[in-house]
Amino acid sequence: RYFLVGSNPAETKYRVLKIDRTEPKDLVIIDDKHVYTQQEVRELLGRLDLGNRTKIGQKGSSGLSRAVSAFGVVGFVRFLEGYYIVLITKRRKMADIGGHAIYKIEDTNMIYIPNDSVRVTHPDEARYLRIFQNVDLSSNFYFSYSYDLSHSLQYNLTVLRMPLETLRTETTQTRQESFDIFEDEGLSTQGGSGVFGICSKPYEKYVWNGKLLEAVKNTVHRDWLLYIIHGFCGQSKLLIYGRPIYVTLIARRSSKFAGTRFLKRGANCEGDVANEVETEQILYDASVMSFSAGSYSSYVQVRGSVPLYWSQDISTMMPKPPITLDQADPFAHVAALHFDQMLQRFGSPIIILNLVKEREKRKHERILSEELVAAVTYLNQFLPPEHAIIYIPWDMAKYTKSKLCNVLDRLNVIAESVVKKTGFFVNRPDSYCSILRPDEKWNELGGYVVSTGRLQTGVLRTNCVDCLDRTNTAQFMVGKCALAYQLYSLGLIDKPNLQFDTDAVRLFEELYEDHGDTLSLQYGGSQLVHRVKTYRKIAPWTQHSKDIMQTLSRYYSNAFSDADRQDSINLFLGVFKPTEGKPHLWELPTDFYLHHKNTLGLSQTRRSYTYWWTAGVLKHLPLPFDEVTCAENRHKLTVKKFHKYEEEIDIHNEFFRPYELSSFDETFCLAMTNSTRDFMPKNVGIDPSPFTVRKPDETGKSVLGNKSNREETVLQRKTAASAPPPPSEEAVSSSSEDDSGTDKEDEGAVSQRSTPVKVTDTGDNTKITENVVQSTKDVYGVNLSDVPSEDDLTIYTRFVQLGQSQHKQDKSSQQFCSKNHLDRVINLIPISSFSQDNIYEVQPPRADKKSIEIFHAHIQAGRGNMQPPGKDDFLMYREYIRNRYM
């Protein structure tokens, strides 16, 4: 047997899975659904170890041995022999949203489950295994333990704000055993200490390991299910006079009709299109973390192939094969299915920005435009005029060649009109200053205004032929326009406008370039050919040779390696399942039948040609149907009541991890791309604002004159993702562990962080900081004393010692001490006449007799009058030594 031992991050609660290894082809997993403490798991594994030894007292080959340590289970897969388990063995933190960490998978491990004694070998198994592993899980796959990455921030926070009455009824209806909550925060009930935890089902379209978890989804506890997304995730820090604003870009690639450039075009019979990616930009003030108290804003846009039956034949070996329409679709059946999905997820209006060429000598791209116009015109006949699909055609290639027209200025006009129609999401009401000094553009903004802020209704859907280069530039311009509104709504700028060549826009542009490069590599096989600088016509002359190399790289990839990548994606996503006696994956002439289910059998129900939307969608427009509180959506939620001080919903412990020894050199928030360090000119002496326009030669990135600057630039941009992340964490003890998962409990937290740090790197970092930070004389007009006084140092040392001793108390005794005592620890009373302001006065807590005695003893110890240790102290010290060293 394999025993899979999983723990929470603090290693205080454990679950155990038993995997049977005697079945040659079936997967037998037993989950006892019990939550163990650390002591209970030790005893359980100790008994198992003792019971499995051949001789009493013998150690070594028999008994229980650790097979692997991991951070999570990707899933279980079977080809022609038995099942494999896929585990995440290395991870790297890529972003942080409200204290919830988002990790990138750095390395995985596949373990064959059945024993060698029962293994039935098959000659083609090794080939299938090789094809499956061709999907590189270490490139751009992301997961989070506590945040639902498959949904947008708007959905996640809207679900959190469901009415309390609804939640109470849900709790009474679903008498289920405990489960993981969707958020590390819940909703406080009025006047009680209970908190509702909500867990929503992931949005299957963007989950890439759904099929791998299918075998165990209904048998194991939902804590074991870790959903991963594929695409891009990057985060940068925008410092506005020292105030940290995190700009995050998350791209979710659809797992439906997924594949490579020329092999996946248009749409399948279910309305899923090729190269469909949902891009979300999230902006929040990092000085306040929690979702309930912090300021959060997001904007979502989509790219995807033209939703028609069309393809390109690559057997001709032409760089641009001719476009052919495969099936006539006079009633726009496929487009109807596609836009129905979008109305459910995003609401109305749906805006199509079509960037394909309008005028060509030989009809090529124009074929798609003509068909798309016909489809949209047909579908709009049946929609109410206020919710009609908006179609904007714009031949971007023609405008690029024109010397009279500035492409980005024209795109900016389109972006403004789009953002005004859709609005954006923000979780706080309009600030008082924007009511006093209203801005014209702000008053014209669309979306849906609620008491708690604004909701985005509708979405922009951008497409060209490949949805790569032109699309990325258009999305960047729309994102830049939305970013200005987001900054304005959080009260960070006085007008919703952002200029090019400011630190903020340069930081955002680099994020979008990395985002475009990553998505282009996944679908097209090369990085972007045309970038924002190309369309601004400020790209250096060396860029042209790079563009030619990327074009050749893309052509080579499409011609020679895309077919193999397509096979591995089909196998990974479960589109093709190997079966004994049926043709193998490599024997199929085409995968058309795998992706178009209607070719294998006629469906019994036919959709209406006129009422082409799902019932109930129109009733709630412009709001998206998925976010409306109705019976159908309530089935997707699971609700559980928690105690207010329970560890599972403690966002402070989740983020700060007081039980781990952390090092500044490895702290994620210090390593991420920073507007001050990486973009602000080194010789700035006047205005450190990230919204001041700089000269092109004034940035930290473009000054490459001397060697030290070159080294700094290399240091600043080490990875293709937006930030140089901290070193990958090797798995020590994690979300799911194998076998004797508690051998390293005490030193686990330390060794997880003890990655050696290069002295040269830290030297470079300090050098950069010295260049950026001005002297106190320049800023304040006075020189501060260099060395703090001895008294100040003593006070600071005592403060640090207090902080260290604070976490030495037993947490379990803290959680369940009397509710009244905990509730009166601190009381915050609003003192501002404006309810929107977060200004509080604090009442000092009342200390009990025992606390006063401890404090007096602490003061005496500081003066050198130490109390002799008592019997309890000796016992505690002896227990500590036994656990640590024996």
Side-chain angles (χ1 to χ4, degrees):
R1 273 187 183 176
Y2 276 131
F3 289 90
L4 206 61
V5 181
S7 77
N8 60 351
E11 296 184 20
T12 53
K13 293 178 180 176
Y14 292 83
R15 291 186 182 277
V16 179
L17 277 187
K18 297 170 208 160
I19 304 174
D20 192 357
R21 301 185 63 197
T22 56
E23 289 289 338
K25 291 198 175 183
D26 293 330
L27 184 65
V28 180
I29 291 187
I30 300 155
D31 184 2
D32 58 8
K33 305 275 171 84
H34 181 67
V35 179
Y36 296 89
T37 62
Q38 198 177 94
Q39 189 62 36
E40 287 169 348
V41 159
R42 274 198 188 144
E43 287 169 4
L44 173 71
L45 295 174
R47 285 200 300 274
L48 287 167
D49 185 31
L50 211 62
N52 284 296
R53 285 185 194 159
T54 46
K55 291 178 185 173
I56 299 297
Q58 177 193 358
K59 286 193 177 182
S61 58
S62 57
L64 205 62
S65 62
R66 180 180 293 217
V68 69
S69 294
F71 287 112
V73 181
V74 175
F76 298 83
V77 66
R78 177 179 173 266
F79 308 121
L80 295 165
E81 294 181 14
Y83 273 90
Y84 296 83
I85 180 171
V86 188
L87 297 166
I88 300 165
T89 51
K90 266 193 200 174
R91 67 180 184 188
R92 169 179 279 163
K93 189 170 176 180
M94 291 306 287
D96 187 276
I97 300 177
H100 302 278
I102 296 170
Y103 297 99
K104 175 179 179 284
I105 298 176
E106 288 281 286
D107 199 9
T108 53
N109 193 355
M110 273 184 87
I111 296 172
Y112 188 65
I113 292 173
N115 255 323
D116 289 342
S117 56
V118 296
R119 184 168 187 167
V120 182
T121 55
H122 195 285
D124 293 313
E125 179 78 5
R127 187 165 179 183
Y128 275 117
L129 184 61
R130 201 164 54 247
I131 292 171
F132 182 86
Q133 289 175 331
N134 205 12
V135 172
D136 186 6
L137 277 167
S138 64
S139 65
N140 313 116
F141 283 89
Y142 304 91
F143 69 93
S144 173
Y145 298 117
S146 53
Y147 181 80
D148 186 353
L149 281 171
S150 67
H151 282 293
S152 64
L153 182 76
Q154 175 170 314
Y155 178 90
N156 288 341
L157 294 193
T158 309
V159 163
L160 263 189
R161 288 219 165 89
M162 274 179 67
L164 284 173
E165 293 70 32
T166 316
L167 293 180
R168 285 206 185 93
T169 54
E170 285 294 312
T171 323
T172 49
Q173 283 169 9
T174 54
R175 295 276 179 196
Q176 284 194 2
E177 191 268 329
S178 70
F179 41 73
D180 184 16
I181 58 165
F182 138 70
E183 274 303 344
D184 273 5
E185 297 175 297
L187 286 163
S188 297
T189 55
Q190 291 153 344
S193 62
V195 169
F196 285 116
I198 307 172
C199 162
S200 74
K201 280 185 184 169
Y203 193 64
E204 285 181 12
K205 180 188 262 193
Y206 297 116
V207 173
W208 275 64
N209 62 336
K211 286 277 191 265
L212 300 179
L213 291 171
E214 221 169 40
V216 296
K217 197 156 66 174
N218 300 321
T219 52
V220 303
H221 189 278
R222 68 171 317 282
D223 280 2
W224 291 101
L225 306 177
L226 193 66
Y227 295 102
I228 62 173
I229 65 161
H230 183 38
F232 174 80
C233 177
Q235 189 169 53
S236 296
K237 187 194 294 183
L238 183 65
L239 278 175
I240 304 174
Y241 295 106
R243 187 174 177 183
I245 306 297
Y246 285 4
V247 183
T248 315
L249 207 59
I250 297 174
R252 310 173 183 90
R253 183 174 285 285
S254 168
S255 60
K256 312 284 185 192
F257 204 50
T260 52
R261 187 180 173 207
F262 285 128
L263 299 174
K264 286 289 157 282
R265 292 298 212 190
N268 67 1
C269 62
E270 289 165 9
D272 302 307
V273 296
N275 195 19
E276 185 174 7
V277 182
E278 180 181 300
T279 300
E280 180 178 24
Q281 60 191 61
I282 297 172
L283 192 81
Y284 74 95
D285 185 345
S287 49
V288 182
M289 256 189 341
S290 87
F291 278 145
S292 46
S295 304
Y296 290 81
S297 174
S298 80
Y299 184 76
V300 177
Q301 44 186 328
V302 176
R303 67 171 71 183
S305 193
V306 180
L308 306 165
Y309 287 123
W310 65 279
S311 63
Q312 284 176 285
D313 183 14
I314 50 168
S315 61
T316 55
M317 294 298 280
M318 290 165 64
K320 284 188 177 178
I323 291 171
T324 53
L325 290 169
D326 300 332
Q327 290 181 37
D329 195 3
F331 300 107
H333 177 67
V334 179
L337 287 166
H338 178 67
F339 292 122
D340 181 31
Q341 284 181 19
M342 294 188 78
L343 284 172
Q344 284 189 58
R345 185 161 169 85
F346 304 109
S348 72
I350 290 169
I351 304 168
I352 301 169
L353 177 57
N354 185 16
L355 303 172
V356 303
K357 293 174 185 174
E358 297 289 331
R359 290 183 183 176
E360 298 168 300
K361 290 175 184 173
R362 182 172 59 87
K363 204 171 173 184
H364 180 63
E365 295 185 10
R366 201 168 80 229
I367 299 169
L368 298 176
S369 287
E370 289 169 357
E371 283 293 317
L372 186 58
V373 171
V376 171
T377 312
Y378 174 81
L379 296 175
N380 273 343
Q381 297 176 86
F382 312 107
L383 279 176
E386 65 273 18
H387 302 310
I389 299 166
I390 300 167
Y391 178 76
I392 306 172
W394 190 60
D395 187 344
M396 191 165 170
K398 185 184 88 174
Y399 278 89
T400 309
K401 288 170 187 168
S402 161
K403 290 179 181 175
L404 302 170
C405 177
N406 186 327
V407 178
L408 297 190
D409 284 351
R410 179 79 182 102
L411 266 176
N412 200 42
V413 174
I414 295 172
E416 285 283 353
S417 68
V418 165
V419 176
K420 275 180 187 170
K421 285 187 180 83
T422 61
F424 62 96
F425 169 73
V426 62
N427 75 332
R428 51 178 272 180
D430 293 353
S431 50
Y432 189 60
C433 62
S434 64
I435 298 167
L436 285 176
R437 298 188 300 275
D439 187 272
E440 285 178 22
K441 284 165 67 177
W442 183 255
N443 291 336
E444 294 168 9
L445 197 63
Y448 198 78
V449 182
V450 289
S451 59
T452 53
R454 289 175 173 269
L455 299 177
Q456 178 181 343
T457 58
V459 73
L460 172 70
R461 183 197 191 281
T462 313
N463 71 270
C464 47
V465 177
D466 295 324
C467 304
L468 297 178
D469 303 3
R470 287 173 275 181
T471 300
N472 201 63
T473 304
Q475 283 197 333
F476 162 72
M477 287 305 294
V478 176
K480 172 178 162 289
C481 177
L483 183 71
Y485 280 104
Q486 289 176 289
L487 288 163
Y488 181 78
S489 71
L490 301 186
L492 301 168
I493 51 177
D494 58 350
K495 288 199 179 303
N497 286 323
L498 282 178
Q499 300 292 323
F500 271 109
D501 291 319
T502 55
D503 294 345
V505 172
R506 279 174 173 159
L507 174 140
F508 189 63
E509 186 184 327
E510 185 173 272
L511 260 181
Y512 250 97
E513 297 260 301
D514 292 338
H515 158 265
D517 280 340
T518 307
L519 297 181
S520 184
L521 272 167
Q522 290 163 12
Y523 182 65
S526 78
Q527 293 186 341
L528 289 173
V529 176
H530 303 302
R531 300 168 179 276
V532 177
K533 285 186 176 65
T534 315
Y535 290 106
R536 282 184 76 194
K537 299 181 181 169
I538 59 164
W541 62 271
T542 50
Q543 186 64 42
H544 298 302
S545 58
K546 286 181 185 171
D547 289 353
I548 292 164
M549 286 308 297
Q550 293 300 346
T551 308
L552 291 172
S553 165
R554 194 176 282 186
Y555 175 70
Y556 173 82
S557 173
N558 299 155
F560 302 109
S561 62
D562 276 6
D564 293 338
R565 281 173 58 212
Q566 185 64 58
D567 281 350
S568 52
I569 289 169
N570 288 342
L571 189 63
F572 183 86
L573 291 173
V575 177
F576 176 86
K577 287 181 182 165
T579 316
E580 196 72 59
K582 288 198 176 177
H584 293 300
L585 180 59
W586 50 88
E587 291 170 356
L588 297 177
T590 172
D591 65 351
F592 181 84
Y593 306 101
L594 301 176
H595 290 275
H596 294 76
K597 299 284 189 296
N598 62 354
T599 55
L600 302 175
L602 287 169
S603 63
Q604 299 302 313
T605 55
R606 292 183 69 179
R607 286 176 72 97
S608 167
Y609 289 144
T610 53
Y611 297 102
W612 52 265
W613 51 84
T614 306
V617 169
L618 277 194
K619 191 169 62 176
H620 300 289
L621 288 179
L623 286 175
F625 182 70
D626 285 357
E627 290 171 24
V628 175
T629 308
C630 63
E632 199 173 321
N633 286 338
R634 256 181 246 141
H635 290 310
K636 299 174 188 171
L637 302 178
T638 330
V639 182
K640 185 197 168 190
K641 198 173 177 185
F642 285 87
H643 190 272
K644 192 164 33 174
Y645 300 105
E646 208 161 320
E647 189 180 14
E648 235 174 314
I649 52 171
D650 185 351
I651 193 73
H652 177 273
N653 273 8
E654 167 70 25
F655 181 72
F656 288 105
R657 310 232 169 161
Y659 41 80
E660 277 183 13
L661 181 68
S662 52
S663 147
F664 269 145
D665 296 306
E666 296 167 22
T667 306
F668 169 73
C669 56
L670 296 181
M672 72 164 78
T673 303
N674 182 317
S675 64
T676 306
R677 185 182 66 216
D678 298 337
F679 294 93
M680 196 168 85
K682 304 288 181 263
N683 54 354
V684 78
I686 310 151
D687 190 358
S689 165
F691 307 115
T692 305
V693 179
R694 317 276 186 204
K695 293 175 189 170
D697 58 345
E698 225 181 15
T699 61
K701 293 262 169 170
S702 58
V703 181
L704 291 175
N706 56 16
K707 189 184 171 192
S708 64
N709 274 332
R710 223 173 267 128
E711 286 169 2
E712 286 168 20
T713 312
V714 170
L715 184 79
Q716 287 157 5
R717 192 161 182 179
K718 280 183 183 172
T719 57
S722 76
S728 302
E729 297 173 22
E730 292 288 349
V732 172
S733 68
S734 60
S735 150
S736 34
E737 282 198 348
D738 257 345
D739 298 349
S740 52
T742 46
D743 290 350
K744 293 190 184 176
E745 257 90 40
D746 291 315
E747 76 255 37
V750 182
S751 55
Q752 195 166 329
R753 296 281 174 184
S754 61
T755 318
V757 180
K758 287 184 190 169
V759 182
T760 52
D761 280 4
T762 37
D764 283 352
N765 277 323
T766 44
K767 186 166 63 182
I768 293 167
T769 318
E770 282 167 8
N771 289 340
V772 172
V773 179
Q774 300 159 259
S775 69
T776 51
K777 179 78 176 167
D778 292 342
V779 181
Y780 301 107
V782 290
N783 270 326
L784 299 178
S785 59
D786 293 334
V787 184
S789 66
E790 199 173 326
D791 288 351
D792 292 338
L793 278 173
T794 311
I795 291 167
Y796 177 65
T797 311
R798 286 177 181 169
F799 170 75
V800 171
Q801 286 168 352
L802 269 173
Q804 286 173 345
S805 61
Q806 179 189 352
H807 296 297
K808 289 181 183 172
Q809 298 175 24
D810 182 22
K811 285 190 188 144
S812 58
S813 63
Q814 269 184 9
Q815 280 177 13
F816 300 106
C817 56
S818 74
K819 185 187 76 179
N820 298 334
H821 171 65
L822 280 166
D823 284 343
R824 71 162 188 265
V825 166
I826 202 158
N827 277 326
L828 300 176
I829 304 152
I831 58 167
S832 168
S833 54
F834 298 107
S835 59
Q836 295 167 9
D837 291 349
N838 297 332
I839 309 299
Y840 293 97
E841 66 180 9
V842 180
Q843 284 186 346
R846 292 194 294 276
D848 55 15
K849 189 179 175 185
K850 191 177 179 186
S851 303
I852 294 168
E853 285 173 8
I854 291 169
F855 183 65
H856 279 304
H858 174 73
I859 297 293
Q860 292 301 324
R863 291 175 178 160
N865 305 328
M866 304 295 288
Q867 289 184 347
K871 187 180 176 185
D872 289 347
D873 298 325
F874 274 119
L875 284 170
M876 191 185 295
Y877 184 65
R878 190 178 296 157
E879 184 66 25
Y880 167 74
I881 292 293
R882 186 185 296 136
N883 288 343
R884 179 81 184 179
Y885 300 109
M886 295 184 181

